[in-house]
Amino acid sequence: MRQTFKKIIIISSLSFAFLSMAAYADDAADIGKLLRSGQTSEALQKVDAALAIRPKDAQMRFLKGLILTEQNKTTEAINIFMKLTDDYPELPEPYNNLAVLYASSGQYDKARASLEMAIRTNPTYGTAHENLGDVYAKLASQAYDKALQLDSGNTNAKLKLTLVRNLVGNTTGGTNPKNNPSPATQVAQLSAQPKPAATSKIEKIEPETAKSIETTNPSKSKVQQTQDKEDDEVIKAIENWAKAWSNKDTNTYLAHYAKDFQTPKGESRKAWAEERRNRIEGKGRISVKIETPKVNLDGNSATVKFRQIYTSDQLTANSRKTILMIKQDGKWLIKQERAGS
Protein backbone atom coordinates (compact mmCIF):
# COMPACT_ATOMS: atom_id res chain seq x y z
CA MET A 1 0.00 0.00 0.00
CA ARG A 2 2.97 2.27 0.29
CA GLN A 3 2.65 3.55 -3.24
CA THR A 4 -0.90 4.82 -2.60
CA PHE A 5 0.47 7.31 -0.10
CA LYS A 6 2.13 10.62 -0.76
CA LYS A 7 5.81 10.81 0.17
CA ILE A 8 7.26 14.29 0.57
CA ILE A 9 10.59 14.61 -1.24
CA ILE A 10 12.69 17.51 0.03
CA ILE A 11 15.82 18.49 -1.85
CA SER A 12 16.37 22.22 -1.61
CA SER A 13 15.11 22.81 1.93
CA LEU A 14 13.29 21.19 4.87
CA SER A 15 10.48 23.35 6.25
CA PHE A 16 12.46 26.50 5.40
CA ALA A 17 14.98 25.93 8.18
CA PHE A 18 17.97 23.80 7.45
CA LEU A 19 19.96 25.01 4.44
CA SER A 20 21.99 28.17 4.70
CA MET A 21 25.10 27.35 2.67
CA ALA A 22 25.42 26.82 -1.09
CA ALA A 23 27.51 23.69 -0.51
CA TYR A 24 24.54 22.02 1.13
CA ALA A 25 22.38 22.66 -1.93
CA ASP A 26 25.18 21.35 -4.16
CA ASP A 27 25.31 18.13 -2.16
CA ALA A 28 21.55 17.70 -2.49
CA ALA A 29 21.69 18.39 -6.24
CA ASP A 30 24.42 15.78 -6.69
CA ILE A 31 22.43 13.24 -4.73
CA GLY A 32 19.40 14.03 -6.89
CA LYS A 33 21.38 13.28 -10.04
CA LEU A 34 22.53 9.95 -8.63
CA LEU A 35 18.96 9.00 -7.72
CA ARG A 36 17.66 9.97 -11.15
CA SER A 37 20.15 7.61 -12.73
CA GLY A 38 19.23 4.82 -10.32
CA GLN A 39 22.57 4.94 -8.50
CA THR A 40 21.10 4.60 -5.03
CA SER A 41 24.25 3.05 -3.54
CA GLU A 42 26.36 5.97 -4.76
CA ALA A 43 23.73 8.43 -3.50
CA LEU A 44 23.81 6.76 -0.10
CA GLN A 45 27.61 6.98 -0.01
CA LYS A 46 27.43 10.71 -0.71
CA VAL A 47 24.80 11.23 1.99
CA ASP A 48 26.90 9.28 4.49
CA ALA A 49 29.94 11.38 3.58
CA ALA A 50 27.96 14.58 4.23
CA LEU A 51 26.65 13.20 7.52
CA ALA A 52 30.19 12.34 8.61
CA ILE A 53 30.87 16.10 8.50
CA ARG A 54 27.43 17.26 9.63
CA PRO A 55 25.93 14.35 11.60
CA LYS A 56 22.85 16.30 12.67
CA ASP A 57 22.06 17.72 9.23
CA ALA A 58 18.29 17.23 9.03
CA GLN A 59 18.03 17.33 5.26
CA MET A 60 20.78 14.77 4.69
CA ARG A 61 19.22 12.48 7.27
CA PHE A 62 15.87 12.91 5.54
CA LEU A 63 17.45 12.10 2.17
CA LYS A 64 19.04 9.00 3.64
CA GLY A 65 15.59 7.85 4.75
CA LEU A 66 14.30 8.35 1.20
CA ILE A 67 17.21 6.42 -0.31
CA LEU A 68 16.73 3.54 2.12
CA THR A 69 13.04 3.52 1.23
CA GLU A 70 13.96 3.29 -2.46
CA GLN A 71 16.25 0.36 -1.61
CA ASN A 72 13.36 -1.36 0.21
CA LYS A 73 15.29 -1.18 3.50
CA THR A 74 12.11 -0.39 5.38
CA THR A 75 13.36 -1.02 8.92
CA GLU A 76 16.40 1.21 8.46
CA ALA A 77 14.31 3.95 6.84
CA ILE A 78 11.82 3.80 9.71
CA ASN A 79 14.66 4.26 12.18
CA ILE A 80 15.87 7.33 10.28
CA PHE A 81 12.47 9.01 10.26
CA MET A 82 11.76 8.06 13.87
CA LYS A 83 14.98 9.77 15.01
CA LEU A 84 14.08 12.81 12.93
CA THR A 85 10.72 13.07 14.70
CA ASP A 86 12.56 12.89 18.03
CA ASP A 87 15.07 15.59 17.10
CA TYR A 88 12.69 17.81 15.10
CA PRO A 89 9.17 17.18 16.46
CA GLU A 90 7.98 20.43 14.90
CA LEU A 91 8.43 19.07 11.34
CA PRO A 92 5.46 17.20 9.82
CA GLU A 93 7.27 15.58 6.84
CA PRO A 94 9.16 12.86 8.78
CA TYR A 95 5.90 11.82 10.46
CA ASN A 96 4.23 11.53 7.05
CA ASN A 97 6.98 9.40 5.53
CA LEU A 98 7.12 7.28 8.67
CA ALA A 99 3.40 6.62 8.22
CA VAL A 100 3.97 5.63 4.57
CA LEU A 101 6.51 3.02 5.68
CA TYR A 102 4.27 1.71 8.45
CA ALA A 103 1.38 1.38 5.99
CA SER A 104 3.60 -0.46 3.49
CA SER A 105 4.20 -3.14 6.12
CA GLY A 106 0.55 -3.33 7.18
CA GLN A 107 1.01 -1.45 10.48
CA TYR A 108 -1.99 0.80 9.96
CA ASP A 109 -2.52 1.76 13.60
CA LYS A 110 1.05 3.08 13.76
CA ALA A 111 0.54 4.82 10.41
CA ARG A 112 -2.59 6.50 11.76
CA ALA A 113 -0.77 7.68 14.90
CA SER A 114 2.12 9.12 12.85
CA LEU A 115 -0.22 10.99 10.53
CA GLU A 116 -2.17 12.41 13.46
CA MET A 117 1.14 13.73 14.82
CA ALA A 118 1.94 15.29 11.42
CA ILE A 119 -1.44 17.03 11.42
CA ARG A 120 -1.05 18.13 15.02
CA THR A 121 2.29 19.68 14.04
CA ASN A 122 0.82 21.38 10.98
CA PRO A 123 -3.02 21.36 10.77
CA THR A 124 -2.87 22.67 7.17
CA TYR A 125 -0.72 19.76 5.94
CA GLY A 126 -3.01 18.47 3.17
CA THR A 127 -0.88 15.45 2.28
CA ALA A 128 -1.13 14.05 5.79
CA HIS A 129 -4.90 14.58 5.84
CA GLU A 130 -5.29 12.68 2.57
CA ASN A 131 -3.00 9.88 3.72
CA LEU A 132 -4.91 9.64 7.00
CA GLY A 133 -8.10 9.20 4.99
CA ASP A 134 -6.46 6.32 3.10
CA VAL A 135 -5.40 4.71 6.38
CA TYR A 136 -8.92 5.02 7.77
CA ALA A 137 -10.21 3.45 4.55
CA LYS A 138 -7.84 0.51 4.95
CA LEU A 139 -8.82 0.04 8.59
CA ALA A 140 -12.46 0.18 7.55
CA SER A 141 -11.81 -2.38 4.81
CA GLN A 142 -10.21 -4.74 7.34
CA ALA A 143 -13.15 -4.31 9.72
CA TYR A 144 -15.70 -5.06 7.00
CA ASP A 145 -13.67 -8.10 5.89
CA LYS A 146 -13.74 -9.36 9.47
CA ALA A 147 -17.49 -8.79 9.66
CA LEU A 148 -17.97 -10.86 6.50
CA GLN A 149 -15.79 -13.64 7.87
CA LEU A 150 -18.10 -13.80 10.87
CA ASP A 151 -21.27 -13.46 8.79
CA SER A 152 -20.86 -14.06 5.06
CA GLY A 153 -24.46 -13.07 4.47
CA ASN A 154 -24.06 -9.58 5.88
CA THR A 155 -25.17 -7.52 2.88
CA ASN A 156 -24.56 -4.20 4.61
CA ALA A 157 -20.90 -5.11 5.22
CA LYS A 158 -20.53 -6.22 1.59
CA LEU A 159 -21.96 -2.93 0.33
CA LYS A 160 -19.76 -0.83 2.60
CA LEU A 161 -16.66 -2.81 1.64
CA THR A 162 -17.43 -2.22 -2.04
CA LEU A 163 -17.94 1.50 -1.42
CA VAL A 164 -14.61 1.79 0.40
CA ARG A 165 -12.71 -0.01 -2.34
CA ASN A 166 -14.38 2.08 -5.05
CA LEU A 167 -13.53 5.25 -3.15
CA VAL A 168 -9.78 4.72 -2.72
CA GLY A 169 -9.03 1.91 -5.15
CA ASN A 170 -7.41 -1.36 -4.19
CA THR A 171 -6.66 -0.83 -0.49
CA THR A 172 -4.55 -3.96 -0.32
CA GLY A 173 -1.81 -2.34 -2.42
CA GLY A 174 -0.72 -2.88 -6.02
CA THR A 175 -0.87 0.45 -7.83
CA ASN A 176 -0.03 1.40 -11.36
CA PRO A 177 3.66 2.37 -11.42
CA LYS A 178 2.97 4.80 -14.25
CA ASN A 179 0.83 6.85 -11.85
CA ASN A 180 3.23 6.44 -8.93
CA PRO A 181 6.85 7.19 -9.89
CA SER A 182 9.70 6.01 -7.74
CA PRO A 183 11.50 8.36 -5.32
CA ALA A 184 14.28 8.67 -7.89
CA THR A 185 11.79 9.92 -10.47
CA GLN A 186 10.23 12.24 -7.92
CA VAL A 187 13.64 13.72 -7.18
CA ALA A 188 14.20 14.24 -10.88
CA GLN A 189 10.94 16.14 -11.13
CA LEU A 190 11.85 18.30 -8.16
CA SER A 191 15.46 19.14 -8.93
CA ALA A 192 14.58 21.99 -11.28
CA GLN A 193 12.52 23.71 -8.59
CA PRO A 194 13.63 25.63 -5.52
CA LYS A 195 10.48 24.71 -3.60
CA PRO A 196 10.59 21.56 -1.45
CA ALA A 197 7.62 19.44 -2.38
CA ALA A 198 6.78 16.57 -4.70
CA THR A 199 4.63 13.54 -4.06
CA SER A 200 4.16 10.04 -5.34
CA LYS A 201 1.02 11.18 -7.14
CA ILE A 202 2.88 13.96 -8.96
CA GLU A 203 1.04 16.63 -7.04
CA LYS A 204 2.76 19.78 -5.83
CA ILE A 205 2.23 21.31 -2.41
CA GLU A 206 3.07 24.98 -2.21
CA PRO A 207 5.35 25.57 0.81
CA GLU A 208 3.04 28.15 2.37
CA THR A 209 2.71 28.38 6.11
CA ALA A 210 -0.68 28.32 7.77
CA LYS A 211 -0.34 32.01 8.48
CA SER A 212 0.28 33.00 4.84
CA ILE A 213 -2.73 30.96 3.75
CA GLU A 214 -4.93 32.48 6.42
CA THR A 215 -3.95 36.06 5.70
CA THR A 216 -5.26 35.71 2.14
CA ASN A 217 -8.66 34.51 3.38
CA PRO A 218 -11.07 37.44 3.04
CA SER A 219 -13.79 35.70 5.07
CA LYS A 220 -11.74 35.42 8.24
CA SER A 221 -13.44 36.80 11.33
CA LYS A 222 -12.34 40.05 12.91
CA VAL A 223 -11.45 38.13 16.08
CA GLN A 224 -9.11 35.84 14.12
CA GLN A 225 -7.61 38.79 12.26
CA THR A 226 -6.89 40.50 15.58
CA GLN A 227 -5.26 37.36 16.94
CA ASP A 228 -3.11 37.03 13.82
CA LYS A 229 -2.00 40.63 14.26
CA GLU A 230 -1.01 39.93 17.85
CA ASP A 231 0.86 36.78 16.76
CA ASP A 232 2.81 38.86 14.25
CA GLU A 233 3.64 41.44 16.92
CA VAL A 234 4.89 38.72 19.27
CA ILE A 235 7.13 37.22 16.57
CA LYS A 236 8.36 40.68 15.59
CA ALA A 237 9.31 41.34 19.23
CA ILE A 238 11.29 38.08 19.36
CA GLU A 239 13.05 38.89 16.09
CA ASN A 240 13.98 42.37 17.34
CA TRP A 241 15.28 40.83 20.58
CA ALA A 242 17.49 38.45 18.58
CA LYS A 243 18.65 41.31 16.34
CA ALA A 244 19.68 43.42 19.33
CA TRP A 245 21.52 40.43 20.77
CA SER A 246 23.33 39.85 17.45
CA ASN A 247 24.30 43.52 17.25
CA LYS A 248 25.49 43.47 20.88
CA ASP A 249 23.12 46.37 21.49
CA THR A 250 22.79 45.47 25.16
CA ASN A 251 20.49 48.31 26.17
CA THR A 252 17.94 47.41 23.49
CA TYR A 253 18.37 43.70 24.26
CA LEU A 254 17.65 44.20 27.99
CA ALA A 255 14.69 46.47 27.17
CA HIS A 256 12.91 43.41 25.73
CA TYR A 257 12.58 41.91 29.23
CA ALA A 258 9.59 42.64 31.45
CA LYS A 259 9.88 44.36 34.80
CA ASP A 260 8.90 41.12 36.54
CA PHE A 261 11.20 38.91 34.42
CA GLN A 262 11.92 35.61 36.21
CA THR A 263 15.70 35.31 36.21
CA PRO A 264 16.97 31.78 35.51
CA LYS A 265 18.83 31.34 38.82
CA GLY A 266 16.59 33.43 41.00
CA GLU A 267 19.16 36.22 41.20
CA SER A 268 18.16 39.88 41.27
CA ARG A 269 17.19 41.54 38.01
CA LYS A 270 20.16 43.91 38.39
CA ALA A 271 22.69 41.12 38.92
CA TRP A 272 21.28 39.14 36.00
CA ALA A 273 21.39 42.20 33.70
CA GLU A 274 25.01 42.94 34.60
CA GLU A 275 26.00 39.33 33.93
CA ARG A 276 24.22 39.37 30.55
CA ARG A 277 25.83 42.69 29.60
CA ASN A 278 29.31 41.36 30.38
CA ARG A 279 28.78 38.15 28.46
CA ILE A 280 27.30 39.81 25.37
CA GLU A 281 29.70 42.74 25.14
CA GLY A 282 32.67 40.45 25.81
CA LYS A 283 32.07 38.43 22.65
CA GLY A 284 33.89 39.28 19.42
CA ARG A 285 31.02 38.23 17.15
CA ILE A 286 27.48 37.05 17.82
CA SER A 287 24.75 35.82 15.51
CA VAL A 288 21.34 34.79 16.80
CA LYS A 289 18.71 33.49 14.38
CA ILE A 290 15.11 32.55 15.13
CA GLU A 291 13.57 29.74 13.08
CA THR A 292 10.05 28.17 12.92
CA PRO A 293 8.49 30.30 15.70
CA LYS A 294 5.07 29.17 16.94
CA VAL A 295 2.87 31.40 19.08
CA ASN A 296 0.20 30.34 21.56
CA LEU A 297 -1.71 33.48 22.53
CA ASP A 298 -3.77 33.78 25.73
CA GLY A 299 -5.00 37.33 26.24
CA ASN A 300 -2.07 39.50 27.29
CA SER A 301 0.21 36.45 27.63
CA ALA A 302 1.92 34.44 24.91
CA THR A 303 4.08 31.34 24.71
CA VAL A 304 6.56 31.27 21.83
CA LYS A 305 8.41 28.10 20.83
CA PHE A 306 11.16 28.23 18.24
CA ARG A 307 14.58 26.95 17.22
CA GLN A 308 17.46 29.24 18.19
CA ILE A 309 20.66 29.20 16.14
CA TYR A 310 23.41 30.85 18.18
CA THR A 311 26.90 31.43 16.78
CA SER A 312 29.89 33.21 18.32
CA ASP A 313 33.66 33.07 17.92
CA GLN A 314 33.83 30.11 20.28
CA LEU A 315 30.44 28.40 20.13
CA THR A 316 27.72 27.26 17.75
CA ALA A 317 24.48 25.98 19.24
CA ASN A 318 21.24 24.84 17.62
CA SER A 319 18.59 24.38 20.29
CA ARG A 320 14.87 24.57 20.96
CA LYS A 321 13.64 27.36 23.17
CA THR A 322 10.43 28.49 24.84
CA ILE A 323 9.80 32.09 25.85
CA LEU A 324 6.84 33.29 27.90
CA MET A 325 5.83 36.86 27.06
CA ILE A 326 3.51 39.43 28.54
CA LYS A 327 2.09 42.61 27.10
CA GLN A 328 3.05 45.62 29.19
CA ASP A 329 2.42 49.24 28.18
CA GLY A 330 1.51 48.08 24.67
CA LYS A 331 4.72 46.08 24.16
CA TRP A 332 5.37 42.35 24.18
CA LEU A 333 8.13 41.67 26.72
CA ILE A 334 9.88 38.53 27.93
CA LYS A 335 8.80 37.24 31.31
CA GLN A 336 10.53 33.86 31.33
CA GLU A 337 12.95 31.83 29.17
CA ARG A 338 13.32 28.06 28.98
CA ALA A 339 15.90 26.21 26.89
CA GLY A 340 15.41 22.75 25.39
CA SER A 341 11.61 22.72 25.69
Side-chain angles (χ1 to χ4, degrees):
M1 184 176 177
R2 183 183 72 200
Q3 294 293 338
T4 66
F5 288 85
K6 293 183 176 181
K7 301 186 289 295
I8 296 301
I9 308 301
I10 297 183
I11 295 299
S12 60
S13 65
L14 185 55
S15 287
F16 322 108
F18 295 103
L19 287 184
S20 59
M21 297 177 63
Y24 291 15
D26 290 342
D27 285 346
D30 290 343
I31 292 166
K33 291 178 182 178
L34 291 171
L35 283 173
R36 287 196 301 273
S37 61
Q39 301 178 69
T40 56
S41 296
E42 291 80 358
L44 185 58
Q45 289 177 4
K46 193 166 185 65
V47 167
D48 285 337
L51 288 173
I53 301 171
R54 307 184 299 274
K56 293 188 176 181
D57 188 305
Q59 188 184 29
M60 286 300 163
R61 291 164 63 187
F62 193 90
L63 282 170
K64 184 171 183 176
L66 295 176
I67 294 169
L68 292 172
T69 301
E70 177 75 355
Q71 294 178 334
N72 293 318
K73 296 178 180 178
T74 301
T75 301
E76 295 178 49
I78 285 175
N79 288 335
I80 292 287
F81 291 123
M82 283 186 66
K83 290 178 181 177
L84 277 171
T85 62
D86 289 339
D87 293 342
Y88 302 99
E90 70 275 18
L91 298 178
E93 293 89 354
Y95 288 114
N96 178 77
N97 282 28
L98 188 58
V100 170
L101 291 167
Y102 281 142
S104 71
S105 57
Q107 301 179 73
Y108 296 105
D109 284 330
K110 287 186 176 181
R112 175 187 53 76
S114 293
L115 290 167
E116 288 174 350
M117 284 299 299
I119 293 168
R120 188 179 306 171
T121 300
N122 180 4
T124 66
Y125 190 12
T127 298
H129 282 286
E130 182 178 351
N131 284 345
L132 183 59
D134 289 341
V135 167
Y136 282 144
K138 178 58 184 177
L139 291 171
S141 176
Q142 290 178 335
Y144 295 140
D145 276 333
K146 183 64 176 179
L148 288 172
Q149 290 175 18
L150 297 173
D151 181 6
S152 60
N154 188 332
T155 56
N156 283 335
K158 288 181 180 178
L159 175 60
K160 292 174 182 178
L161 180 59
T162 300
L163 290 174
V164 168
R165 287 179 171 170
N166 287 340
L167 178 65
V168 296
N170 180 6
T171 58
T172 61
T175 60
N176 186 344
K178 293 182 180 180
N179 296 327
N180 296 280
S182 68
T185 303
Q186 296 164 19
V187 170
Q189 294 166 342
L190 177 67
S191 61
Q193 301 186 43
K195 295 183 178 180
T199 71
S200 61
K201 294 184 180 179
I202 322 179
E203 295 176 358
K204 302 292 174 63
I205 301 173
E206 293 300 322
E208 299 167 325
T209 62
K211 187 174 298 300
S212 65
I213 293 173
E214 290 174 352
T215 53
T216 61
N217 184 356
S219 64
K220 185 183 295 185
S221 69
K222 291 184 178 180
V223 172
Q224 186 62 49
Q225 290 175 8
T226 300
Q227 181 172 330
D228 287 348
K229 183 179 179 181
E230 290 289 349
D231 286 353
D232 291 340
E233 289 181 1
V234 170
I235 292 175
K236 184 65 175 178
I238 292 293
E239 290 175 344
N240 288 338
W241 164 79
K243 182 179 179 181
W245 190 357
S246 298
N247 293 337
K248 296 194 292 184
D249 182 356
T250 316
N251 290 335
T252 302
Y253 168 82
L254 293 174
H256 281 84
Y257 289 85
K259 299 174 183 177
D260 55 348
F261 171 66
Q262 299 176 17
T263 59
K265 299 178 182 178
E267 67 268 48
S268 69
R269 169 65 183 268
K270 182 179 180 180
W272 169 83
E274 289 178 355
E275 189 271 341
R276 291 302 297 155
R277 185 183 297 276
N278 291 334
R279 290 190 62 180
I280 292 172
E281 295 178 354
K283 296 289 192 302
R285 177 181 63 87
I286 295 177
S287 173
V288 182
K289 295 181 180 179
I290 304 300
E291 295 183 344
T292 61
K294 296 181 180 179
V295 179
N296 184 6
L297 197 65
D298 184 10
N300 286 330
S301 299
T303 301
V304 191
K305 295 186 177 183
F306 55 91
R307 185 160 293 278
Q308 177 178 291
I309 315 298
Y310 174 90
T311 306
S312 70
D313 294 332
Q314 300 177 342
L315 175 67
T316 297
N318 184 329
S319 61
R320 297 175 65 199
K321 195 164 188 176
T322 299
I323 287 184
L324 305 182
M325 304 191 74
I326 187 169
K327 197 168 189 178
Q328 294 179 344
D329 300 326
K331 297 180 180 179
W332 284 102
L333 303 173
I334 300 171
K335 185 173 183 179
Q336 185 182 13
E337 294 177 284
R338 294 199 301 263
S341 60

